[in-house]
Every structure is written in C-alpha cells, then in structure tokens.
Amino acid sequence: MDHQNNFARLVGEVATELARKVESQMKTAGLPITPEQYRVMAVLWNKDGISQIELAARSRRDRASTTRIVDLLEEKRLIARIPDRNDRRINLVYLTKQGRELEKPASACVERSIAELLTPLAMDEQWNLTILLRKILKETKS
C-alpha cells in the first residue's frame, strides 16, 4: 500500500474512532445531539445569527448536509431559523436557550473523548500532532 493511501486510511480511521467515542460519551450523558450535529452547534456557540451558507462554510460541510442537520436541530428546538430583515430569502440561524445550555456538557464529552483517544501519546507528541494538523488545515483553507 502506498504512503498516500495509508495516510488517508489512518486519518479516516482516527476520525471515525473519535466520532464513535464522542457519540458514546454524549449518549452516556443523555445529550440529544450526535457528533455531526455537534460540529454545527460548535460553530453557533462561537457565533450565532449567521446564514446557513456561512454555517456550512464554517463547519466545513456541504450545504445539503448542513440543511439536513439544521432541520434536525430545529426539530429538537436547539436552534431557530429567522428570516434576515434585509433579505427574506436568507434564514439566519440562532441558538435557542436549550441549544446554548448544551455547550458545556457537549464540549466536555468531546474533550473527554479526545483525551481518551490521545492517551497512547506523550504530551509532546500530542502537541506536535496538533501543530501538524493545524498546519495542514491552514493550507487547505487558503
């Protein structure tokens, strides 16, 4: 197997394992969101009142899957879509009180999952891995 395919497989498997751990933590905590929904919620915890297009871009998801996730989160009453006053074709996405209240417990689940996943690495290895991944992402966002 060549290096590129091995790298892609390994990154994919690590991402899948992290999502599995986060999902398990969230179920144990009784939280009503999935890791996929967490990614969208995390953007909104940082800045809500943004368009679905901006939400898709910031969460690095395509528009169709973002719309599907927003629909589910709205059904759960964690977010609300409100038409933009200046352009009624655009819906702005806002957190509800219930959505805001999920930030701390959901983020704690993610932090515990990451800590568990990184347990085999020494602290300096964890730091270096984080630096390298940020470097890759920075280049792909340019």
Side-chain angles (χ1 to χ4, degrees):
M1 179 178 291
D2 65 74
H3 175 71
Q4 288 178 330
N5 288 332
N6 190 39
F7 175 79
R9 182 185 57 78
L10 289 171
V11 169
E13 286 181 21
V14 169
T16 298
E17 184 60 22
L18 179 58
R20 189 189 65 72
K21 288 180 182 301
V22 170
E23 186 167 19
S24 175
Q25 286 278 340
M26 288 188 178
K27 279 183 183 177
T28 299
L31 300 180
I33 59 173
T34 65
E36 187 176 67
Q37 294 164 357
Y38 173 86
R39 253 174 75 186
V40 170
M41 293 292 289
V43 171
L44 294 171
W45 290 323
N46 188 46
K47 181 183 180 190
D48 73 342
I50 60 176
S51 71
Q52 284 184 221
I53 293 169
E54 186 176 351
L55 182 56
R58 286 178 179 238
S59 63
R60 298 178 69 101
R61 306 192 65 75
D62 62 70
R63 289 183 190 180
S65 64
T66 301
T67 298
R68 182 180 50 80
I69 291 169
V70 166
D71 288 344
L72 291 168
L73 293 172
E74 190 172 42
E75 282 177 27
K76 295 176 182 183
R77 301 185 192 286
L78 300 175
I79 62 163
R81 282 184 271 210
I82 299 171
D84 186 317
R85 283 188 263 178
N86 300 322
D87 187 345
R88 294 172 64 72
R89 296 170 296 171
I90 298 173
N91 285 319
L92 301 179
V93 183
Y94 290 89
L95 293 163
T96 63
K97 182 177 184 267
Q98 295 148 292
R100 265 190 198 83
E101 290 172 351
L102 281 180
E103 181 178 9
K104 285 184 182 177
S107 295
C109 289
V110 171
E111 288 173 22
R112 280 192 300 272
S113 299
I114 291 169
E116 185 180 323
L117 185 76
L118 295 178
T119 298
L121 302 178
M123 288 305 292
D124 64 323
E125 291 174 317
Q126 293 178 25
W127 181 253
N128 288 333
L129 177 60
T130 302
I131 290 169
L132 293 171
L133 291 172
R134 281 189 181 139
K135 186 175 183 179
I136 291 169
L137 286 176
K138 181 181 177 188
E139 291 301 315
T140 62
K141 289 181 179 180
S142 299

